[in-house]
Amino acid sequence: MSLQLSYRAAPGNPWFSWQYVRDNSDTILAALREHTWLAVRAVLIAAVVALPLAVAAYWFRSLAGPVLAVSGVLYTIPSLALFAFLGPTLGIGAVTVLTVVVLYALLVIVRNALAGLHQVPPDVLEAAEGMGYGRWARLFRIELPLALPGILTGLRLATVSTVALVTVGVVIGRGGLGQLIFAGFQNNFYKAEIMTGTVLCVLLALVLDLVLAGVGRLLTPWLRGRSS
C-alpha cells in the first residue's frame, strides 16, 4: 500500500488534524480496509482450526495437554521473531501476516472453547445419553450450544488481540493501520498521522468486539433471560 501522503503540517504539530484526514482520506480508508480484512480473516481461520482442536482435546483427554502446550509455546514466541522465521518460507505479504496472527489467536480460542465444553453440566450429558444421542448428535445439539458463551469469549479476546497484532505486520509492509503509525514516526514524528492510525485501530477493535457481543446475545437467548 502506498504511503505517499500529502498534507500541510499544522503549526505546533497537533495530535489531531482534520486537514490531514481530508487530504489523506483515500490512504486512511485503504489502510482501514486492509486492517479489517486481515483481522477478520485471521480470526475466522483461527476459529476453523481451533474449534476442532478443542473438540478433539475434549473427547480425548490425553490430547488436551499437548494441544494447549503447543499453542501456548507458539503464543510465547515474540511476533517479530515469528515474522523473521516465517518470512523466508512464506514470502513478504498478507499470507505471512495471516499466519502469524492466526497462530497467536489459536491458544485464546482453544483454551476458552475447551473451558466452555468442560462446563456443560454432567446431568445434561447423562440425560442426552439416556435419550439415545450419539457422540456427534450430543456435540452439535447439546455441548456446543451450551459451550457457546465460552467460545464467544475466546473469539472476542482473539479478535481484539488480533486487531492489535496486525499492526506489527508493518515490518513486512502489510500492517494496515500500522502503516500509518509507523509512517508518522518516520515522518518527523507527525502526530496527526500517528494518532489517526492509533484511534482507528482502537475503534476497529471496539466495533468488532461489539458485533461479536451482539451475535452472542442473539445466539444465547437463555442467558438474556437469566440476566434479567
Side-chain angles (χ1 to χ4, degrees):
M1 181 181 58
S2 174
L3 284 174
Q4 296 177 352
L5 304 176
S6 60
Y7 61 87
R8 299 189 188 95
N13 190 20
W15 279 107
F16 185 77
S17 169
W18 279 115
Q19 183 69 43
Y20 164 76
V21 174
R22 287 193 298 267
D23 290 349
N24 300 279
S25 58
D26 291 341
T27 299
I28 294 170
L29 290 176
L32 179 59
R33 284 194 298 267
E34 181 184 44
H35 203 114
T36 304
W37 183 227
L38 284 171
V40 170
R41 277 193 297 173
V43 173
L44 289 176
I45 294 171
V48 169
V49 176
L51 290 179
L53 286 176
V55 171
Y58 174 66
W59 280 350
F60 308 102
R61 303 301 169 92
S62 60
L63 293 178
V67 167
L68 292 175
V70 171
S71 56
V73 168
L74 292 173
Y75 195 81
T76 61
I77 301 175
S79 56
L80 290 178
L82 203 51
F83 275 114
F85 179 75
L86 295 175
T89 304
L90 300 178
I92 305 301
V95 174
T96 303
V97 179
L98 278 174
T99 303
V100 170
V101 293
V102 165
L103 290 176
Y104 279 111
L106 280 178
L107 176 64
V108 178
I109 300 177
V110 168
R111 180 175 290 172
N112 282 274
L114 189 56
L117 288 168
H118 281 307
Q119 289 173 0
V120 178
D123 55 339
V124 173
L125 297 178
E126 292 177 5
E129 187 175 353
M131 295 173 63
Y133 282 22
R135 169 174 284 184
W136 289 99
R138 191 167 65 245
L139 175 68
F140 286 106
R141 301 183 66 177
I142 304 295
E143 292 166 323
L144 284 179
L146 291 180
L148 198 54
I151 295 172
L152 287 170
T153 297
L155 288 174
R156 292 176 65 183
L157 292 172
T159 299
V160 172
S161 62
T162 296
V163 169
L165 187 59
V166 167
T167 59
V168 186
V170 70
V171 298
I172 59 172
R174 298 300 297 267
L177 295 169
Q179 302 288 106
L180 299 179
I181 299 171
F182 183 71
F185 281 105
Q186 285 190 317
N187 197 9
N188 295 322
F189 196 66
Y190 186 40
K191 295 178 181 178
E193 192 171 7
I194 297 170
M195 181 59 70
T196 300
T198 302
V199 169
L200 286 177
C201 188
V202 172
L203 289 177
L204 177 60
L206 179 61
V207 168
L208 293 178
D209 183 62
L210 289 175
V211 169
L212 286 175
V215 171
R217 287 181 60 84
L218 290 176
L219 295 179
T220 56
W222 62 89
L223 293 181
R224 296 202 305 271
R226 183 185 305 173
S227 61
S228 60

